[in-house]
């Protein structure tokens, strides 16, 4: 955010083979215990859903993210549990061509590029979080300024949902990397311009 405008940051867990979930959307193979969780619950706690924040007694800082953009399927993970507004502490934008069930404080758009560009035009001390998934990331590929990948020590294999579900290539540079005894690496990439 060098010019005072927010970046679009693709912050997501990924396997060693570049998958963000199994073919059926399951992401339970990513470890939720270990020393890497200090980054998740500390620096990136803005990206925790409200029930997780409440269960851990945490409050969002809103200094990393103040907006979340997610696809219909990503948002839909919580719908069967009645979680129609998973991140009420953030401005929530769900990308869908239909009218999915959402909370009253959740925006729905069929044009993610326009929504992200509009969000980038505002002055903010916090960035925009691209929550997922790979199809949406491909649609927003040219808008993504940074990727923060939680690279997990698992292989999902063919059929898993890819980090990007479309053509490339893009060039990225490593801005920072942390390795943990849990086997997870958190890698911060910046778009090479």
């Amino acid at each position: 955010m060098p010019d005072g405008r927010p970046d679009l940051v693709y912050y997501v867990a990924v396997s060693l083979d570049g998958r963000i979930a199994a073919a059926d959307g399951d992401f339970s193979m990513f470890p939720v215990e270990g020393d890497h969780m200090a980054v998740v619950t500390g620096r990136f706690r803005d990206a925790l859903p409200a029930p997780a924040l409440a269960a851990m007694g945490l409050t969002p800082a809103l200094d990393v993210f103040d907006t979340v953009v997610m696809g219909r399927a990503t948002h839909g993970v919580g719908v069967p549990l009645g979680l129609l507004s998973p991140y009420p502490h953030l401005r929530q934008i769900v990308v869908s061509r239909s009218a999915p069930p959402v909370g009253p404080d959740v925006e729905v758009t069929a044009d993610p590029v326009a929504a992200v560009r509009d969000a980038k035009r505002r002055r903010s001390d916090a960035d925009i979080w691209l929550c997922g998934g790979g199809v949406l990331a491909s649609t927003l590929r040219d808008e993504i300024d940074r990727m923060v990948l939680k690279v997990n020590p698992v292989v999902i294999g063919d059929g898993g949902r890819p980090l990007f579900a479309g053509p490339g290539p893009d060039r990225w540079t490593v801005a920072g990397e942390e390795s943990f005894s849990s086997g997870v690496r958190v890698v911060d990439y910046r778009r090479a311009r």
Side-chain angles (χ1 to χ4, degrees), residues 35 55 76 85 87 96 136 158 184 189 191:
D35 55 342
S85 177
Y87 306 99
S96 178
L136 179 57
D158 288 345
V184 174
Y189 291 95
R191 182 178 291 281

Side-chain angles (χ1 to χ4, degrees), residues 80-118:
L81 306 171
L83 194 57
L84 302 180
S85 177
Y87 306 99
H89 52 284
L90 302 176
R91 176 183 175 205
Q92 301 172 86
I93 302 170
V94 173
V95 178
S96 178
R97 289 185 204 92
S98 63
V102 297
D105 57 341
V106 177
E107 302 167 41
V108 178
T109 183
D111 188 347
V113 173
V116 166
R117 287 180 179 168
D118 179 63

Side-chain angles (χ1 to χ4, degrees), residues 109-185:
T109 183
D111 188 347
V113 173
V116 166
R117 287 180 179 168
D118 179 63
K120 282 184 169 187
R121 278 192 282 275
R122 65 184 166 73
R123 295 276 176 195
S124 177
D125 292 331
D127 288 321
I128 304 158
W129 171 33
L130 172 55
C131 181
V135 173
L136 179 57
S138 291
T139 301
L140 291 170
R141 182 179 224 123
D142 293 338
E143 299 299 323
I144 299 171
D145 303 292
R146 289 177 51 211
M147 289 190 294
V148 178
L149 304 181
K150 297 171 285 182
V151 182
N152 290 267
V154 297
V155 174
I156 295 175
D158 288 345
R161 295 185 181 178
L163 182 65
F164 287 96
D170 291 334
R171 299 283 305 161
W172 297 84
T173 60
V174 176
E177 182 173 349
E178 297 174 80
S179 295
F180 299 92
S181 62
S182 64
V184 174
R185 289 182 302 120

Side-chain angles (χ1 to χ4, degrees), residues 1-77:
M1 189 178 349
D3 62 358
R5 296 187 186 274
D7 285 339
L8 180 61
V9 181
Y10 192 11
Y11 169 67
V12 67
V14 64
S15 65
L16 292 173
D17 58 342
R19 307 295 182 191
I20 59 174
D24 64 359
D26 179 34
F27 51 87
S28 63
M29 72 290 295
F30 297 138
V32 294
E33 294 180 345
D35 55 342
H36 70 281
M37 290 304 293
V39 172
V40 174
T41 61
R43 182 173 0 136
F44 290 102
R45 73 176 171 262
D46 293 346
L48 291 171
L53 289 167
M56 291 184 267
L58 298 173
T59 56
L62 301 178
D63 59 349
V64 174
F65 301 121
D66 65 7
T67 301
V68 58
V69 178
M70 63 191 121
R72 181 199 45 76
T74 299
H75 175 267
V77 169

